[in-house]
Structures are given as structure tokens and as C-alpha cells.
Amino acid sequence: MGELRKPFLLLALLAVALVVGLELGSALLTGGGDAGGALRDSAGRLGVELGDVGHVSEPAGRGTGQLALIDVVALWTTGLFSLSMVVPDRIQGRVQGVATLVFSIVLLIVAFVLLIVTFVELTIMVSLFLAAPFGTLAYLALWGFFPVGEASALLGLVLLLKLLWGGLLLLAQPRFLQNKGLVLLALTTLLCTVVLEFLHRLVPGILVSITDDLGALVFAVVAVVWALVLLIGSIPAIVKAVRTTATTSRPTRK
């Protein structure tokens, strides 16, 4: 039970890397379809004459992409577990704290910036939607035709890979269940994925972009929290590494 099964750990690393890759590439994998016909129909119901309309495409949304802010923490954690297979514990102990500190600071900055950007975009969305009829029409042209089906398929694949990641980690080392931080991280990312799918199904199609951005906003906040957890958790490791280095570097007295 105590032996680490390396092949399963490497497969878990691959699974969570695929998760992050799919989420980061969600803007390319979803959206982009022609929504001009749907926009003309909506304009007709609003009693607005559009005239000649250029290409109107389906938005990709932010929700799935910003799930990566959370899942990159899972990737980082799994990567550290995997690193222990090739790097001696003595060296890893000295490097891990500093590396985690740098990673957490970068994640904190990125998550905070995306939090602000998403909040501003969400505010614009709601303001335009409520400013009928022309504001509503502008909202529809930009965000009104979210590709719910494509996003649902992608989220389903992401959720499957996350479950596979968790299962492979347990196969690699059942004692990972005793790691409360890892268990909480796994529950967080699974819950966020399910919540995003729920938000996509909660409202009529023309409002899904708003709930998707709302989910993205929540994910950015969650990522900020996890970044702070990593940052605080890295400090004891750094202090320990500094003390160990100072102790080993002292000249021995004859």
C-alpha cells in the first residue's frame, strides 16, 4: 500500500494536463458558428430593422477557459508528485517551496486580472441586455447565441478526464486520500465543472453568456483563494529549506 505506482501517477499527470489543455483551448474548440440568421429573427421580434448585417458568430464564453485557473493547481500538484520520481527528496525539498511561491504569485496575478476583466464584461453584458431595444440587439450580436451543445460536450469530456485523474491518483497511491488539501482540490474542480454545466442549462439560450461569465467570475475568485493557500503553504517549506542549507553549509569545527 505504501509503494508509489509510477505508471498510474504519470497517467494521472497526462489526464490533468489534457484537462488544462482542453480548457485553455476552449475558445478555439467552441463557438465561431454563424449566428446571423438567429440575430435577424431576434431583431424581428424586437421590431428593429437590421438592414445589412455582417458576420455574427457564436461566442466561445469565458467559463470553461477560466476553469483552467483552478485545474492548473491540480496540474502543478500532480507534477510535484511526479517530480519526486526523478529528483532526490533533498533537492526537491529545497526547490519546491520557492517554485510553489513563484507559481502561486503568478496565478494570483493572472486570476486577479481575469477577475476584473470578467466583472467588467459581465457588467457590460447586463447593461446592454437591459437597454432595449438597441442595447439588447447589441448584446445579442455579441453574446446572444452561446453554443450550449458544444460547451456541454467539452465539459463532459473535461469532467470525464477529471474523474480519470482522481481514479489514477488513487491507483498510484491510496494514501493520497489522506491528503486533505488534494481531496479538497479534487472536490473543488469537480464541483466547479458541474456548476458551470448547470449554469449553462439554467436560463434561456440568449442569457447563457451571462451565466457563463458569472461562472467564470466565481472561478477566478476560487483561483485567487487557492493561489493564497499555495502561497502561504510555501512559506514553511522555504524556511525549512533555508535552515537546512544554513546548517549544512556551516564549517565543521575540528
Side-chain angles (χ1 to χ4, degrees):
M1 182 174 177
E3 184 179 353
L4 180 66
R5 301 178 181 90
K6 297 179 181 179
F8 290 116
L9 182 57
L10 291 176
L11 287 174
L13 180 62
L14 176 61
V16 73
L18 286 174
V19 166
V20 174
L22 286 172
E23 290 169 346
L24 291 176
S26 61
L28 301 175
L29 297 173
T30 61
D34 183 28
L39 178 62
R40 282 188 286 270
D41 292 341
S42 299
R45 288 193 293 270
L46 289 171
V48 177
E49 180 63 36
L50 283 181
D52 293 331
V53 180
H55 179 69
V56 177
S57 59
E58 297 173 336
R62 289 184 176 273
T64 305
Q66 286 186 203
L67 269 175
L69 292 172
I70 302 170
D71 293 326
V72 74
V73 179
L75 177 60
W76 177 263
T77 304
T78 310
L80 290 179
F81 291 150
S82 303
L83 192 63
S84 64
M85 297 188 300
V86 294
V87 177
D89 292 341
R90 178 175 56 84
I91 297 177
Q92 185 182 10
R94 294 182 179 182
V95 174
Q96 180 174 325
V98 176
T100 301
L101 177 66
V102 173
F103 170 76
S104 62
I105 291 174
V106 172
L107 177 60
L108 184 63
I109 293 172
V110 172
F112 187 73
V113 170
L114 288 176
L115 174 64
I116 295 174
V117 171
T118 305
F119 178 77
V120 171
E121 184 179 73
L122 183 60
T123 303
I124 294 173
M125 281 184 179
V126 175
S127 300
L128 285 176
F129 181 77
L130 295 177
F134 296 105
T136 304
L137 198 59
Y139 165 83
L140 291 174
L142 293 172
W143 298 293
F145 307 101
F146 189 90
V148 177
E150 294 178 7
S152 180
L154 183 59
L155 284 174
L157 178 58
V158 165
L159 183 60
L160 178 62
L161 286 170
K162 289 180 181 182
L163 292 172
L164 182 62
W165 165 69
L168 287 168
L169 281 180
L170 290 180
L171 289 174
Q173 177 54 271
R175 288 184 181 177
F176 282 145
L177 272 177
Q178 299 174 9
N179 188 325
K180 296 180 181 179
L182 180 61
V183 172
L184 183 59
L185 176 60
L187 291 176
T188 300
T189 182
L190 289 172
L191 179 61
C192 287
T193 307
V194 173
V195 166
L196 184 60
E197 175 65 20
F198 173 75
L199 289 174
H200 287 174
R201 302 289 181 176
L202 180 64
V203 295
I206 61 172
L207 295 175
V208 174
S209 288
I210 293 177
T211 56
D212 180 77
D213 255 37
L214 182 61
L217 189 70
V218 173
F219 302 154
V221 173
V222 173
V224 167
V225 172
W226 273 106
L228 290 173
V229 170
L230 289 177
L231 191 151
I232 295 171
S234 68
I235 294 175
I238 294 174
V239 172
K240 182 179 179 181
V242 170
R243 287 178 177 175
T244 302
T245 303
T247 301
T248 55
S249 62
R250 288 177 183 173
T252 56
R253 296 181 180 179
K254 295 183 180 180

